Amino acid sequence: MPVANGACRSTRTYLKTGTAASHDRLDTRLGALVTGDARDYAAFLDIQYRARVGVEDWLADSGTPPPCQSNLLAQDMSALGRAVPEDAPAFAPPAPSDALGVCWVLAGSSLGNRAILARLRKNKVDWPVDFLSDMGMTTYWRSLLPALERPHSIATDEAALHAAQATFSHFNAIVADSLAREAA
C-alpha cells in the first residue's frame, strides 16, 4: 500500500508510515515475550533467529549488508540450553525491492533491542544478551541515516517500501508460526 508522495518529507518517514501497522503488530507480539520468563525469552530469540537467517542470506549480495546477528542469537540460545533452529524460512521480497528497506527494518530494530536490554537490566534479569547488547547494528543504523534522511521520492522509495513491508511480513509470519507451535 503506497503512501501518498506529499505525506512524507524523507525516505525514513515514508518507510515508517508505510509499515506502521505491521511494525506495531510485531513489536506487540515480540514485546510480550521479553516481559515473561526465560522460556518466553528463549522463544523471542528463536523467532529472531529463524527470521534473521533468511533475511541475512538475502542481504548477503546487497552490497552493504548490515552486520550478521544470527550468530549472536545462536550464542544466546546455546547459553540458555536451547538448540539453534534448523528451520529458518527463506526470505524473498517481491520485485521490485530495494535492500535499503530491509536494512532499515533490521537496523531500526537495534533501537528496540537497546530498550529491551535496559528493561532486563533494570529488572536484574540474568539472561544471555549478546544479541540485545550488540553495538554493530547501532553503528550500522547511523551509516544508513544519510540515505534515510534524503528527500522522499516515490520513484526511488517505493521499492524500499516493498522490501520493508516484506520484511515485517516475514517476521510476523514466523511469530505466527511460533505461536501456533506453542499452542499445539
Side-chain angles (χ1 to χ4, degrees), residues 61-122:
D61 297 323
S62 70
T64 56
C68 177
Q69 292 191 304
S70 56
N71 58 330
L72 300 173
L73 287 156
Q75 287 171 207
D76 287 345
M77 285 186 287
S78 293
L80 284 172
R82 291 278 291 237
V84 176
E86 294 181 18
D87 63 336
F91 174 69
S97 286
D98 182 337
L100 177 64
V102 179
C103 295
W104 171 76
V105 172
L106 293 185
S109 73
S110 69
L111 305 173
N113 289 350
R114 305 302 295 168
I116 293 167
L117 178 63
R119 186 176 30 203
L120 294 178
R121 287 183 174 158
K122 180 181 177 186

Side-chain angles (χ1 to χ4, degrees), residues 114-134:
R114 305 302 295 168
I116 293 167
L117 178 63
R119 186 176 30 203
L120 294 178
R121 287 183 174 158
K122 180 181 177 186
N123 294 330
K124 297 180 179 13
V125 177
D126 189 26
W127 296 331
V129 292
D130 289 340
F131 167 65
L132 294 175
S133 61
D134 179 46

Side-chain angles (χ1 to χ4, degrees), residues 13-28:
T13 57
Y14 179 71
L15 295 174
K16 186 175 182 177
T17 302
T19 60
S22 57
H23 188 174
D24 290 346
R25 183 173 190 210
L26 182 63
D27 282 354
T28 298

